[in-house]
Amino acid sequence: MQSIVQNLKIYNSISGKKETFSSVIDDHVGMYVCGPTVYSNVHLGNLRTFTSFDIIYRYLTHLGYKVRYVRNITDVGHLENDEDQGEDRISKKARLENLEPMEVVQKYTYDFHETVRKFNLLPPSIEPTATGHILDQIKLIQKIINEGIGYIVNGSVYFDVFEYSKSNNYGILSKRNLEDLIHNTRSLDGQSDKKNPQDFALWKKAEPKHIMKWDSPWSKGFPGWHIECTAMSNKYLGDIFDIHGGGIDLKFPHHESEVLQTECHTGHSPMANYWLHSGHLTINSEKMSKPLDNFFLVRDVMADYSASVLRFYLLNGHYRSPIDFSDSNLDESVSAYRRLEGVYNRLESVTKSGDQLPEDLVKALDLCNSDFLKAMNDDFNTREALAVLFQFSKNSFFQLVK
């Protein structure tokens, strides 16, 4: 098994290439994945990300690693952007459903857990909530202020991107150039408390309309979107850990901001050795998302397709590649899944019978196992791994029905 571990290659968003995986601590892996914001039911695009990282978690465990998998719950209603003075998503949903914000959080956290349970996703090692770590976030923000990078304006706190980037690399994930961003961004004079448009909020002072708010040294308010993940990944995985993951839409600005504020806080770089981003689930080549209102809720799709078929459909594509959603693709997944299921059930029956397996079948199984591991070691290539299973089923089925 050790040789298999040594052959594992992972595509790193920082370098833009596949790298041989090596963990910070031998035989241990620390992995942080950005979890759901719990203000609505789970849609298929959300599920694609969490299914991808479930497979990664399972495979690392299969290789013998002790994995600490941290996946957060965002139960703080962040604003759409730092200039927004309207309602946050959770408070807006609370008003529409005539509930308290934390009732909304509880309702949709339960929906998320029920959905991933139906899809047989393993629970993470730790599932921290943003509201459970407000004090950690406040402490972290104060450290950034003390470093001279955070600045306070009218009760809000912002991260000075330009000041910090004078001595640090900006755009390590998104490959964006700060000077180009400054040149292409309109001035926010008269519209914002920020020094520069690229700065982002660490803490926002609450307006009277904002329901979810907490006391802090600067104002009664709420944390910015990015700071929660820094607080929780640092608390449970340390200053440097192995894998940070999430959907590709989080690469900028969320993950880019995480890098800046985390490394400012800890003084260590990189905060994570490998950054993994799952691809979009698309409809007519357009990203499936709630803001675009072009998403399908998992519960609605399950009216026609089982969780097993949907899971197969999501895994029959490399996690970094986009998958286009359509009824025809799902219908193809039904027949493909049933074919593999039939071969598996027959193989299990033959194995349990106690009869000696034909020599050719044993060789085919060994080759299938070897090729399957080779595919998974190539950046968790589930599409190629499934192709290996189909090849085995094609070559070996006649022996299984004897």
Side-chain angles (χ1 to χ4, degrees):
M1 187 65 73
Q2 186 62 34
S3 61
I4 296 174
V5 173
Q6 291 172 347
N7 289 331
L8 176 61
K9 295 187 182 299
I10 298 178
Y11 182 90
N12 192 346
S13 294
I14 294 179
S15 65
K17 61 183 181 182
K18 295 177 187 177
E19 302 175 4
T20 301
F21 180 73
S22 177
S23 57
V24 174
I25 302 174
D26 288 345
D27 303 324
H28 290 70
V29 171
M31 181 170 74
Y32 185 92
V33 174
C34 292
T37 302
V38 283
Y39 70 97
S40 65
N41 298 109
V42 182
H43 70 67
L44 208 57
N46 302 141
L47 188 66
R48 197 264 169 109
T49 294
F50 302 126
T51 301
S52 296
F53 285 99
D54 176 70
I55 287 295
I56 290 170
Y57 177 32
R58 287 173 181 271
Y59 190 64
L60 290 169
T61 302
H62 173 72
L63 292 182
Y65 288 107
K66 180 176 175 57
V67 183
R68 177 175 289 177
Y69 175 21
V70 182
R71 186 187 66 207
N72 72 301
I73 295 286
T74 297
D75 56 352
V76 171
H78 305 297
L79 299 178
E80 295 285 345
N81 57 68
D82 293 339
E83 283 66 55
D84 189 1
Q85 297 300 320
E87 290 179 294
D88 63 82
R89 291 172 176 175
I90 292 175
S91 296
K92 182 178 180 179
K93 194 52 138 335
R95 177 176 57 79
L96 293 174
E97 297 190 5
N98 196 27
L99 298 171
E100 286 293 323
M102 292 310 292
E103 286 183 287
V104 170
V105 165
Q106 183 66 27
K107 175 181 178 179
Y108 292 109
T109 299
Y110 177 81
D111 174 73
F112 173 72
H113 286 152
E114 282 294 289
T115 301
V116 297
R117 181 186 61 79
K118 290 175 183 175
F119 281 79
N120 197 31
L121 271 60
L122 296 176
S125 313
I126 304 173
E127 191 176 53
T129 63
T131 56
H133 294 75
I134 296 294
L135 293 179
D136 295 298
Q137 295 173 71
I138 289 173
K139 183 178 179 181
L140 195 155
I141 293 168
Q142 187 60 60
K143 174 76 180 300
I144 295 174
I145 292 172
N146 294 344
E147 293 291 330
I149 302 301
Y151 61 91
I152 307 165
V153 181
N154 297 328
S156 294
V157 184
Y158 297 95
F159 189 97
D160 192 332
V161 172
F162 188 75
E163 181 64 30
Y164 185 68
S165 298
K166 288 179 181 178
S167 55
N168 296 272
N169 291 327
Y170 180 87
I172 190 170
L173 284 170
S174 61
K175 314 305 178 190
R176 303 188 184 210
N177 182 280
L178 183 58
E179 295 296 334
D180 290 342
L181 284 176
I182 293 173
H183 177 73
N184 293 323
T185 304
R186 292 182 299 172
S187 172
L188 293 175
D189 291 345
Q191 302 178 42
S192 174
D193 291 332
K194 297 179 185 180
K195 290 182 180 179
N196 304 292
Q198 291 72 34
D199 297 346
F200 55 88
L202 300 170
W203 185 268
K204 286 289 289 182
K205 180 181 178 179
E207 300 293 330
K209 67 182 73 175
H210 296 143
I211 303 173
M212 303 186 78
K213 49 195 172 187
W214 292 263
D215 291 325
S216 79
W218 317 289
S219 66
K220 183 179 286 290
F222 47 91
W225 174 27
H226 316 304
I227 200 70
E228 66 174 270
C229 289
T230 290
M232 290 184 276
S233 65
N234 184 247
K235 180 169 185 174
Y236 296 111
L237 297 176
D239 292 350
I240 301 176
F241 56 94
D242 298 295
I243 295 172
H244 194 310
I248 195 170
D249 53 315
L250 299 181
K251 187 183 291 188
F252 184 89
H254 183 51
H255 287 166
E256 199 74 71
S257 300
E258 268 193 78
V259 170
L260 295 179
Q261 64 195 13
T262 303
E263 295 182 2
C264 177
H265 166 63
T266 64
H268 292 284
S269 179
M271 63 171 285
N273 285 334
Y274 305 89
W275 284 81
L276 279 62
H277 292 96
S278 60
H280 292 309
L281 189 63
T282 61
I283 300 177
N284 297 323
S285 301
E286 186 177 48
K287 181 184 82 167
M288 183 183 293
S289 71
K290 293 171 187 173
L292 293 176
D293 196 30
N294 68 341
F295 61 89
F296 289 91
L297 296 179
V298 173
R299 67 181 185 186
D300 294 336
V301 182
M302 287 186 68
D304 298 310
Y305 302 95
S306 70
S308 296
V309 167
L310 288 171
R311 182 180 172 91
F312 173 87
Y313 162 72
L314 294 173
L315 294 176
N316 195 23
H318 190 274
Y319 77 92
R320 286 191 288 113
S321 301
I323 300 177
D324 203 52
F325 178 87
S326 69
D327 287 337
S328 61
N329 288 340
L330 282 172
D331 290 339
E332 289 176 5
S333 294
V334 172
S335 57
Y337 174 78
R338 287 175 178 169
R339 176 181 169 186
L340 283 185
E341 183 182 39
V343 172
Y344 172 81
N345 289 338
R346 182 57 183 152
L347 178 61
E348 186 177 42
S349 175
V350 171
T351 302
K352 287 182 177 179
S353 69
D355 296 335
Q356 186 173 355
L357 298 179
E359 183 178 347
D360 287 347
L361 181 57
V362 172
K363 289 181 180 179
L365 282 168
D366 288 342
L367 179 61
C368 177
N369 182 64
S370 175
D371 288 347
F372 185 92
L373 292 174
K374 186 183 300 182
M376 291 300 292
N377 274 346
D378 184 16
D379 193 33
F380 312 106
N381 194 335
T382 54
R383 181 172 179 80
E384 184 60 32
L386 287 173
V388 170
L389 297 183
F390 277 111
Q391 186 63 37
F392 167 78
S393 69
K394 179 180 179 181
N395 294 341
S396 304
F397 185 72
F398 74 96
Q399 298 182 58
L400 293 172
V401 297
K402 285 182 179 179

